[in-house]
Amino acid sequence: MNHDIFMSRLIRTAGLVVKWLFVGTMCIFTLYPVIYAVIGSFKTNAELTLGGSFLPAEWQFQNYVYAFQKLDFGRYIANSVTLALLTVLFSVGTASMAAYVMARRTFPGKQVLNVCYLCSMFVSIGSVSLYPLYKLLSAVGLNSSMVGLALLLTGGQAANIFLITGFVRSVPRELDEAATIDGAGTFRIFWQIIVPAIKPILGVVALFSFRHAWNEFVSVQVFSMSNPNLKTLSVAVASLRYSANAAAEWHIMAAGASIALLPILIVYLFANRQFIAGLTAGAVKG
């Protein structure tokens, strides 16, 4: 009996050791590039390019000063924040309203629309759509504004609509009926009953939308070619590979990458509880 207990504890301990070794290894592989970029942002370009010691010989804090004073990183950060917030607003607003209609209303062509949304989740046309989208936004005069770019990044949102639809369906219809009897209209039911009930999944959609808009590069680069005022931080950092000095400014790129990490980390820090709640609730509903 004692031997069985000993073997059981040994197997359990070995399992814990293997689990934490795996988690620790994954953390190292995940965090090392981030730490290397942050440390590299305090080195000179020659020191970063040629390699050598992990820590800088002399901490170059002027890299950040140069990035803000000479390269106008403050404006690029403001553009990135504006684009990300607009995308979050459009994404959460349109996806939640569309999901409410899909879950609560019956109309001709609903099943066809559902099938189209489902198919679009598995088809990615990527950069092929950039030119027609640019022509479309140019036709309506939105190709030179953050609003047009945010609408472009918002897209059709098939995945977000499917996620939110599942949450809306979990809200009892009796609440809608009671509100209708009290004289509430469709928008009031949506705003005062549905939205508070599906806040966890709205937080998840907002978080993913913010991350997508903040890290977007190709679309922003294409639209900012004719209007440099639309350039965001990701595009500005990448453009340092072709600097006026005829050499890539890797130390400033590392500083820009480090700056770009901060808003994402802050958003994840404050939205972590909402994110976990949304995923957990989604798992239970699934």
Side-chain angles (χ1 to χ4, degrees), residues 123-158:
V123 177
S124 177
I125 55 179
S127 302
V128 177
S129 62
L130 283 178
Y131 179 72
L133 286 172
Y134 181 83
K135 295 292 289 184
L136 176 62
L137 291 179
S138 298
V140 295
L142 292 176
N143 61 308
S144 298
S145 69
M146 280 293 178
V147 174
L149 193 52
L151 288 173
L152 173 67
L153 297 182
T154 300
Q157 300 196 88

Side-chain angles (χ1 to χ4, degrees), residues 69-269:
Q69 291 185 351
K70 300 295 183 181
L71 301 179
D72 205 11
F73 267 34
R75 179 164 63 89
Y76 301 141
I77 293 174
N79 287 345
S80 293
V81 171
T82 302
L83 178 62
L85 292 180
L86 284 174
T87 304
V88 168
L89 178 64
F90 293 156
S91 298
V92 173
T94 57
S96 59
M97 288 188 286
Y100 172 64
V101 172
M102 297 297 290
R104 287 291 202 259
R105 296 290 183 268
T106 301
F107 52 89
K110 178 179 177 179
Q111 294 302 322
V112 175
L113 186 59
N114 260 324
V115 172
C116 291
Y117 269 125
L118 183 62
C119 292
S120 66
M121 292 175 61
F122 301 97
V123 177
S124 177
I125 55 179
S127 302
V128 177
S129 62
L130 283 178
Y131 179 72
L133 286 172
Y134 181 83
K135 295 292 289 184
L136 176 62
L137 291 179
S138 298
V140 295
L142 292 176
N143 61 308
S144 298
S145 69
M146 280 293 178
V147 174
L149 193 52
L151 288 173
L152 173 67
L153 297 182
T154 300
Q157 300 196 88
N160 290 341
I161 291 173
F162 269 99
L163 283 174
I164 300 176
T165 299
F167 276 73
V168 175
R169 285 174 177 163
S170 69
V171 180
R173 286 181 177 268
E174 288 77 8
L175 296 177
D176 298 30
E177 296 169 358
T180 302
I181 294 174
D182 290 339
T186 301
F187 183 77
R188 186 178 176 185
I189 293 173
F190 168 75
W191 183 252
Q192 295 186 350
I193 296 177
I194 301 300
V195 169
I198 61 173
K199 277 185 178 179
I201 193 60
L202 294 183
V204 173
V205 171
L207 185 60
F208 285 161
S209 299
F210 186 93
R211 186 194 62 180
H212 169 63
W214 185 267
N215 294 327
E216 179 59 29
F217 172 74
V218 176
S219 300
V220 180
Q221 185 183 40
V222 171
F223 277 76
S224 63
M225 286 180 179
S226 58
N227 188 1
N229 292 327
L230 296 179
K231 188 180 292 186
T232 58
L233 187 59
S234 60
V235 176
V237 171
S239 66
L240 293 175
R241 289 178 297 179
Y242 314 103
S243 68
N245 300 325
E249 297 181 287
W250 296 106
H251 58 314
I252 307 300
M253 289 180 66
S258 301
I259 295 170
L261 285 172
L262 286 177
I264 293 294
L265 293 177
I266 292 172
V267 169
Y268 269 106
L269 180 65

